[in-house]
Structures are given as structure tokens and as C-alpha cells.
Amino acid sequence: MRKILGRTFALLVAGGLSLVIAPATAEAATPPNFRVGIQLADNGGRGGFGVEQFTGFANFGSSVSQWAGDSNNFDPDGARIDLNPAFGGGLLNQVDFRIGGQARDGGRELGPVAYTPWASQGGGTTDLITDSNSFDPDQYRLFLETRPLPAGIQINDLRLSILAVDRGEPEGVPAFTRWASQGGGQSDFALDANAFDPDGFRIGLEVV
């Protein structure tokens, strides 16, 4: 059986090549069932927190979250991603998955949905998630798309990342969740170089 297991792989982030090494995993490890959340903030990611919005759980099929914004739903400064395991320790079925995001401004100016590659393909990052004019979106939502896991593939662990992008400025630093085997949870807030009004975010999916 071909496995996505115990390997290292390169993820292109922040304009450079960053080597990511996963924690050691058991031979027959199975990740928990999970959902994905996003929370927006203002004031350089230090206040003006909006309500966190979640997709459904992966074992129940494809889903989309409600729109998330900061406390006034206007030009958030930062976002964090949440790898949220199912309460009670339920395990992920034979499910392949990818993560998507979409942005809008003022309740309109809707941007396209951008997806990571599938977990069975090794994961990766989305294109820039932004609104239709690629300028200072107000709200974001997440998509969790699922399908049957292809034969011969085993997924043992995963984590998520988020990166803020302000066009014409240096990219920020990606913020990572813990690995699912470590309990997942929220990342830090991802901010652009000046921690003010990014033009969008990129979401990353890493699997082993």
C-alpha cells in the first residue's frame, strides 16, 4: 500500500522554500474526524474579534461555513485557522478532503473559491483567497470538500496553516495549527507585514 507517511516535503511559503517535518506517527495511525474554523480580528490581530465560524465534520460530507468577519465586519487585520477534532475522539473514515476559502467585500464583490490540493495528493496551499477586486475583503468563509479516499492511500496526520497577503508588500509569516495527533486547535493570527488590512489569505494543508 502506498502511504503518505513519515516523509518530509517542501511547502512554498512567504516567497521561500520551507522544509516541514511531521511528528513521528504510528504505523497504523488514523487521524480524528475534524471540522475547520476561521476567526477574524482587527487592531493588528489584538482585538475586534469576530465570531469563529466552522464547516461541518469531514465524516458527514462536504460543507461550507457561515461568513466570518471581525467585530464590525469591515477590513479585518488578521485571521486564524482552526483544526477542530470531533469531541469524544471519533476517527476519520476513509475520506479524502481538501480545504477551500472564499472572500467578499461589503456583502458583494464575491471572489472565487480557492482550494488546496486533495489530501491524497499530498496537500498544498490555495491560491490567494480574495474578493472580486482583490482589495481589502471584509468577510471570509471556508469550504471542506470530501470524496472517498483513493485505493492504496493512507493518511495518518494533518495540520493547517494560514498566510496573510497584502499586494505590493512583503508577505507575512504563516501561522500553523498543531498536528491533529497533537490535538489540533487554533493557529496564531496570521498578519501581513504591517498588520493592517491584508488583501487576502492563503490556506495550507499538510498531510503525512
Side-chain angles (χ1 to χ4, degrees):
M1 175 183 290
R2 183 163 63 91
K3 299 179 182 178
I4 304 171
L5 172 64
R7 63 183 174 85
T8 61
F9 59 97
L11 175 64
L12 187 63
V13 291
L17 200 61
S18 177
L19 184 65
V20 180
I21 302 177
T25 55
E27 177 65 20
T30 302
N33 187 21
F34 69 92
R35 61 180 180 169
V36 183
I38 188 169
Q39 186 178 29
L40 282 299
D42 212 0
N43 302 320
R46 298 185 299 272
F49 302 107
V51 175
E52 185 172 10
Q53 301 291 351
F54 290 94
T55 67
F57 285 97
N59 280 348
F60 295 99
S62 298
S63 60
V64 58
S65 74
Q66 298 294 315
W67 288 101
D70 64 10
S71 58
N72 64 0
N73 286 303
F74 181 74
D75 288 1
D77 291 336
R80 62 182 173 186
I81 197 84
D82 190 350
L83 176 58
N84 188 257
F87 180 77
L91 299 180
L92 188 66
N93 295 334
Q94 292 297 300
V95 172
D96 197 8
F97 54 89
R98 63 179 183 170
I99 312 300
Q102 188 177 33
R104 69 180 182 183
D105 198 22
R108 39 189 204 283
E109 295 182 8
L110 189 67
V113 181
Y115 285 99
T116 68
W118 291 95
S120 62
Q121 297 170 331
T125 59
T126 66
D127 291 335
L128 184 65
I129 300 166
T130 187
D131 60 12
S132 59
N133 66 2
S134 302
F135 182 74
D136 292 0
D138 291 332
Q139 295 177 307
Y140 295 82
R141 64 178 175 178
L142 296 180
F143 293 74
L144 177 56
E145 187 171 3
T146 65
R147 66 182 184 182
L149 191 66
I153 298 294
Q154 180 176 317
I155 296 168
N156 295 312
D157 210 353
L158 70 138
R159 71 173 179 173
L160 304 176
S161 64
I162 189 165
L163 173 70
V165 177
D166 202 12
R167 291 177 184 265
E169 301 289 338
E171 291 185 350
V173 177
F176 293 88
T177 68
R178 295 186 301 273
W179 292 91
S181 63
Q182 298 168 337
Q186 295 175 322
S187 70
D188 291 334
F189 277 98
L191 304 168
D192 64 13
N194 64 3
F196 182 74
D197 290 3
D199 291 329
F201 294 92
R202 293 194 183 106
I203 293 172
L205 166 64
E206 297 176 28
V207 294
V208 293

